[in-house]
Amino acid sequence: VLGSSPVTIVVTPEANTWDIDTWDIDSSSRPGSGQFADWDEMPEPRQPAQIPRDVLNRPPKELKRLAREGCWATSPAGRAWLYPRLIQRVSCRLVTPDALVYRDVAGRLFGKPSVSSHPLPEFLEGCPVPTYRLNPRGVTALKKILICVGALFPDITHSPLLPALAALLLHYSEDEAQCFESISRLIASNAPGYIDQSFLAHQASCMTFGDLANKHCPAAHKLIAGAADSVLEVYSEWLSWLFPGLPFAYAVRVLDVFLLEGQKVLYRIALALLKQFRLSVTPAGLEGADVKAELREFARNIAEHVTVDKLLERAFGIRLFSRKEIWLLQMANRKALVERGITVVQRRPSFHLAVDMQNFSSSTVTAQEMRLVWSWIPERFSLFPPLLLFSTSEDGCSLQRFYTCCEGYEPTVLLIKTTEGEVCGAFLSSDWSERKKSGATSGFFGTGECFVFTVRPEAERYEWVFIKKPELAKAVPRSRQRSPSPAPESLLGSSRDSSSPNHLAVPSPQRKGRLSPFLAIRHFLLPSKTASMFMSGSRDGIVIGEGG
């Protein structure tokens, strides 16, 4: 029995949809390379594959470059040869259903009759199922593959990406069994980063995308925060901008690099889409508009704005965190969702995750201004409503009283209103009680997630400069680095620079394996000696950041 959200079969590019409760399975599909797609109706040019003979022996970095540059972009035959071989390289669980298992299960499920009806896999509830350029035989094959996935992977409870991947791979599969085996290996991958398989994992990735958009697309983020009731709800659709949002020619180029680089590629391309969206709209144009619908429409018509080659070029020009850092951030977001009551087996939330700021009241900022500030803080914290700890109108102007009220809480948001009516503030990632660790001296603490901001007269956020421009670290003399990040050696357990007990050296951005100072130490269980220092508090005052 399905809930209120039926599965939708999206037939692209005509954009027709079928709302159905069961799929009629035609068992007459026949094997043969390219049998599932209407290749003659595709406008994209087809040329012989220009794939080097030793392509699979190339170093991973070289292979990624070839995929990014579209080495096999114009050759369906090239993709049909390469895709299964790339997927065979994916390390996966020891017992993973393969083509032989599929043939056995499909034979038992669908039997001899020409048509039989079967219930939909529950993990598809509320998920669009794009068909792209599949012909009727391909649509039938896709249905059978997804039903068998549901039968053989009962732990999958929610997976918006899975049907789109199956549909795209089917275009280049010699039969249903090969496509099923490819999907199975991606599902059973030992390394995280291919297919989210629960609502908890999917929502954590949506929050992670929100964190990345906050960092890398500040102008677009500010635009959306000003136009949408909930930024989190807008970013919860980020994956649908790509699948089924992008046209087939764009989607399959994304697949080329995804098979080699995993989910990080999807973040990159969605961020590039968001940047491009910002260039194509104005704040006035979004006023009163449905931002989610506008983004879906923009992705669907992306060819009017940028070529697929230029989109990929811009996507890979974004300096993202490492896979490990993104995974740590995703785990922190997952932990926050669990604290809000989301479970692994839950298919959809029974309540809105976004914080409603309509009832927020303050003499310092309006509800609309606070909603913007709340959109700037890391997603895992923005799930929770603000709790007032200290106010000069109620608690007086004693700095010691301020410390007493705020100690034991992290993170905190500081809002300051001047006598001229201007409003500024800071997001503070660490507990103010950490100032006591320096004894009588005024020591620095905090992490690279700290930032300062203005609300009036202009709303603007100012982050740690090295997050956006790590190359500047090379130009700063070691003696002047007040708010630096952990040195690479400190991550391996070595001691700090003894000549500067309160200052750590900024690592070279090229240093392999380093962890970004963006990460909050406590939330990622990193050693305390990796702490960066961005806040300071004493009897005389507080300091956040530094001049220059």
Side-chain angles (χ1 to χ4, degrees), residues 10-14 32-44 46 73 75-84 87 129-142 145 162-180 182-183 243-244 246-253 255-256 259:
V10 183
V11 184
T12 52
E14 293 82 359
S33 182
Q35 62 170 318
F36 301 117
D38 289 323
W39 296 110
D40 293 335
E41 297 181 8
M42 296 193 186
E44 295 82 16
R46 284 182 288 161
S75 172
R79 284 192 173 108
W81 178 84
L82 196 55
Y83 278 0
I87 294 172
V129 181
T131 59
Y132 295 109
R133 306 296 175 77
L134 295 176
N135 56 29
R137 182 181 298 160
V139 173
T140 294
L142 176 62
I145 290 166
L162 197 154
L165 287 184
L168 289 170
L169 288 171
L170 190 57
H171 287 72
Y172 305 98
S173 298
E174 63 181 25
D175 58 21
E176 300 165 14
Q178 185 189 63
C179 180
F180 172 84
S182 294
I183 283 292
F243 309 111
L246 291 176
F248 176 79
Y250 285 63
V252 77
R253 284 292 300 276
L255 182 62
D256 288 344
L259 294 179

Side-chain angles (χ1 to χ4, degrees), residues 98-261:
D98 59 10
L100 290 175
V101 172
Y102 174 81
R103 293 187 181 100
D104 177 61
V105 172
R108 286 189 283 107
L109 278 177
F110 310 122
K112 298 291 184 182
S114 58
V115 174
S116 57
S117 293
H118 294 269
L120 298 171
E122 291 186 351
F123 71 79
L124 291 179
E125 182 180 343
C127 301
V129 181
T131 59
Y132 295 109
R133 306 296 175 77
L134 295 176
N135 56 29
R137 182 181 298 160
V139 173
T140 294
L142 176 62
K143 297 170 184 177
K144 293 169 69 176
I145 290 166
L146 292 175
I147 288 173
C148 286
V149 167
L152 290 165
F153 292 92
D155 291 339
I156 300 177
T157 56
H158 185 74
S159 187
L161 179 59
L162 197 154
L165 287 184
L168 289 170
L169 288 171
L170 190 57
H171 287 72
Y172 305 98
S173 298
E174 63 181 25
D175 58 21
E176 300 165 14
Q178 185 189 63
C179 180
F180 172 84
E181 181 171 331
S182 294
I183 283 292
S184 291
R185 293 190 68 84
L186 295 178
I187 292 171
S189 167
N190 286 325
Y194 279 104
I195 302 177
D196 291 333
Q197 299 167 40
S198 68
F199 177 77
L200 176 61
H202 171 64
Q203 194 62 35
S205 73
C206 293
M207 291 169 61
T208 300
F209 177 78
D211 284 322
L212 296 174
N214 205 347
K215 296 289 177 185
H216 296 283
C217 309
H221 182 83
K222 183 178 178 180
L223 180 72
I224 291 172
D229 291 334
S230 168
V231 178
L232 179 59
E233 287 187 17
V234 173
Y235 290 151
S236 290
E237 294 193 354
W238 77 277
L239 196 55
S240 67
W241 305 343
L242 309 182
F243 309 111
L246 291 176
F248 176 79
Y250 285 63
V252 77
R253 284 292 300 276
V254 175
L255 182 62
D256 288 344
V257 288
F258 172 77
L259 294 179
L260 286 165
E261 303 187 46

Side-chain angles (χ1 to χ4, degrees), residues 484-519:
S485 72
E489 293 79 4
S490 70
L491 298 174
L492 303 176
S494 64
S495 61
R496 299 181 182 182
D497 181 355
S498 58
S499 64
S500 182
N502 288 330
H503 306 150
L504 300 181
V506 177
S508 164
Q510 284 77 29
R511 183 62 181 256
K512 195 170 183 179
R514 75 175 175 88
L515 288 176
S516 167
F518 165 79
L519 301 175

Side-chain angles (χ1 to χ4, degrees), residues 11-83:
V11 184
T12 52
E14 293 82 359
N16 296 325
T17 61
W18 305 331
D19 293 339
I20 53 179
D21 290 328
T22 61
W23 279 334
D24 292 332
I25 300 301
D26 183 352
S27 62
S28 62
S29 55
R30 300 181 300 274
S33 182
Q35 62 170 318
F36 301 117
D38 289 323
W39 296 110
D40 293 335
E41 297 181 8
M42 296 193 186
E44 295 82 16
R46 284 182 288 161
Q47 301 171 4
Q50 302 296 319
I51 303 175
R53 291 185 179 181
D54 63 341
V55 65
L56 293 175
N57 296 324
R58 299 286 180 95
K61 190 173 182 179
E62 174 74 4
L63 200 54
K64 290 177 184 179
R65 183 186 64 79
L66 292 173
R68 293 177 183 185
E69 293 177 354
C71 180
W72 42 88
T74 59
S75 172
R79 284 192 173 108
W81 178 84
L82 196 55
Y83 278 0

Side-chain angles (χ1 to χ4, degrees), residues 258-312:
F258 172 77
L259 294 179
L260 286 165
E261 303 187 46
Q263 191 180 43
K264 186 176 178 180
V265 162
L266 305 186
Y267 286 135
R268 284 187 179 281
I269 295 168
L271 290 172
L273 275 174
L274 195 59
K275 284 176 175 282
Q276 191 66 37
F277 176 73
R278 170 65 184 87
L279 295 175
S280 68
V281 297
T282 62
L286 274 186
E287 194 170 336
D290 183 343
V291 179
K292 294 193 288 186
E294 292 287 331
L295 277 161
R296 288 193 294 267
E297 183 69 16
F298 177 79
R300 190 158 44 244
N301 298 310
I302 188 63
E304 299 175 6
H305 303 278
V306 64
T307 65
V308 65
D309 288 307
K310 183 59 70 174
L311 181 66
L312 290 174

